[in-house]
Coordinates of all heavy atoms in Angstrom, one line a residue:
Chain A
Y33 N 9.0 7.6 -6.8 CA 9.5 8.9 -6.8 C 9.0 9.7 -5.6 O 7.8 9.5 -5.3 CB 9.1 9.6 -8.1 CG 9.5 8.8 -9.3 CD1 8.6 7.8 -9.8 CD2 10.7 8.9 -9.9 CE1 8.9 7.0 -10.9 CE2 11.1 8.0 -11.0 CZ 10.1 7.1 -11.5 OH 10.5 6.3 -12.5
Y37 N 6.8 19.5 -1.5 CA 6.2 20.7 -1.9 C 6.0 21.6 -0.7 O 5.9 21.2 0.4 CB 4.8 20.4 -2.5 CG 4.8 19.8 -3.8 CD1 4.9 18.4 -4.0 CD2 4.6 20.6 -5.0 CE1 4.8 17.8 -5.3 CE2 4.6 20.0 -6.2 CZ 4.7 18.6 -6.4 OH 4.7 18.1 -7.6
Q39 N 3.7 24.8 0.8 CA 2.4 25.6 0.7 C 2.5 26.8 1.6 O 2.2 26.7 2.8 CB 1.2 24.7 1.0 CG -0.1 25.4 0.7 CD -1.3 24.5 0.9 OE1 -1.3 23.7 1.8 NE2 -2.3 24.7 0.0
G43 N -1.3 29.9 -0.2 CA -2.1 28.7 -0.6 C -1.6 27.9 -1.7 O -2.0 26.8 -1.9
F47 N 6.6 23.4 -5.9 CA 7.5 22.2 -6.0 C 8.9 22.6 -5.5 O 9.5 23.7 -5.8 CB 7.6 21.8 -7.4 CG 8.8 20.9 -7.7 CD1 8.7 19.6 -7.3 CD2 9.9 21.3 -8.5 CE1 9.8 18.7 -7.5 CE2 10.9 20.4 -8.7 CZ 10.9 19.1 -8.3
R50 N 12.4 16.6 -6.4 CA 12.0 15.3 -6.8 C 13.2 14.4 -6.7 O 14.4 14.8 -7.0 CB 11.6 15.3 -8.3 CG 11.1 13.9 -8.8 CD 10.8 13.9 -10.3 NE 12.0 14.1 -11.1 CZ 12.1 14.9 -12.1 NH1 11.1 15.6 -12.5 NH2 13.2 14.9 -12.8
S95 N 5.0 9.0 -5.7 CA 4.3 8.4 -6.9 C 5.1 7.2 -7.3 O 6.3 7.0 -7.0 CB 4.3 9.4 -8.1 OG 5.5 9.6 -8.6
N101 N 0.0 7.6 -12.0 CA 0.7 8.9 -11.9 C 0.3 9.7 -10.7 O 0.7 10.9 -10.6 CB 0.5 9.6 -13.2 CG 0.9 8.7 -14.4 OD1 1.9 8.0 -14.3 ND2 0.1 8.7 -15.4
K102 N -0.6 9.2 -9.9 CA -1.1 10.1 -8.8 C 0.0 10.3 -7.8 O 0.8 9.5 -7.6 CB -2.3 9.5 -8.2 CG -2.0 8.2 -7.4 CD -3.2 7.7 -6.7 CE -2.9 6.5 -5.9 NZ -4.1 5.9 -5.3
L103 N -0.1 11.5 -7.2 CA 0.7 11.8 -6.0 C 0.0 11.4 -4.7 O -1.2 11.8 -4.6 CB 1.1 13.2 -5.9 CG 2.2 13.7 -6.9 CD1 2.3 15.2 -6.9 CD2 3.5 13.1 -6.7
Chain B
Y35 N -6.8 17.6 -7.8 CA -6.6 17.3 -6.4 C -7.6 18.1 -5.5 O -7.9 19.2 -5.8 CB -5.2 17.5 -5.8 CG -4.2 16.6 -6.4 CD1 -3.6 16.9 -7.7 CD2 -3.8 15.4 -5.8 CE1 -2.6 16.0 -8.2 CE2 -2.8 14.6 -6.3 CZ -2.3 14.9 -7.5 OH -1.3 14.1 -8.1
Q37 N -8.1 19.5 -1.5 CA -7.4 19.6 -0.2 C -8.5 20.1 0.8 O -9.0 21.2 0.7 CB -6.3 20.7 -0.3 CG -5.6 20.8 1.1 CD -4.4 21.8 1.0 OE1 -4.4 22.7 0.3 NE2 -3.4 21.5 1.9
Q48 N -7.0 12.1 -13.4 CA -6.0 12.6 -14.3 C -6.5 12.4 -15.7 O -7.1 11.4 -16.1 CB -4.7 11.8 -14.1 CG -3.6 12.2 -15.1 CD -2.6 11.1 -15.3 OE1 -2.7 10.0 -14.8 NE2 -1.5 11.4 -16.1
R55 N -7.0 9.1 -17.7 CA -6.0 8.1 -17.5 C -6.0 7.4 -16.2 O -5.7 6.2 -16.1 CB -4.6 8.8 -17.7 CG -3.4 7.8 -17.5 CD -2.1 8.4 -17.9 NE -1.8 8.2 -19.3 CZ -0.7 8.5 -19.8 NH1 0.3 9.0 -19.1 NH2 -0.4 8.3 -21.1
F90 N -7.2 21.9 -6.5 CA -6.0 22.2 -7.2 C -6.0 21.4 -8.6 O -6.4 20.3 -8.6 CB -4.7 21.7 -6.5 CG -4.3 22.6 -5.3 CD1 -4.5 22.2 -4.0 CD2 -3.7 23.9 -5.6 CE1 -4.1 23.0 -3.0 CE2 -3.3 24.7 -4.5 CZ -3.5 24.3 -3.2
G97 N 2.6 13.0 -18.3 CA 1.8 12.2 -17.4 C 2.5 11.0 -16.7 O 1.8 10.1 -16.2
P99 N 4.9 9.0 -13.9 CA 5.1 9.2 -12.5 C 6.4 9.8 -12.1 O 6.5 10.4 -11.0 CB 5.0 7.7 -12.0 CG 5.2 6.9 -13.1 CD 4.8 7.6 -14.3
Q100 N 7.4 9.8 -13.0 CA 8.7 10.4 -12.6 C 8.7 11.9 -12.9 O 9.6 12.6 -12.5 CB 9.8 9.8 -13.3 CG 9.8 10.0 -14.8 CD 9.1 8.8 -15.6 OE1 8.2 8.2 -15.1 NE2 9.6 8.5 -16.8
T102 N 7.6 15.8 -12.5 CA 7.0 16.7 -11.5 C 5.7 17.2 -12.0 O 5.5 17.5 -13.1 CB 8.0 17.9 -11.3 OG1 9.3 17.4 -10.8 CG2 7.4 18.9 -10.4
Q103 N 4.8 17.3 -11.0 CA 3.5 17.9 -11.3 C 3.6 19.3 -10.8 O 3.9 19.6 -9.6 CB 2.4 17.1 -10.6 CG 2.2 15.7 -11.1 CD 1.1 15.0 -10.4 OE1 0.1 15.6 -9.9 NE2 1.1 13.7 -10.4

Side-chain angles (χ1 to χ4, degrees):
Chain A
Y33 308 89
Y37 286 86
Q39 187 174 36
F47 165 71
R50 179 187 72 223
S95 71
N101 309 318
K102 67 176 182 182
L103 285 173
Chain B
Y35 290 84
Q37 184 179 27
Q48 179 204 3
R55 179 171 272 190
F90 284 107
Q100 67 267 32
T102 297
Q103 294 180 28

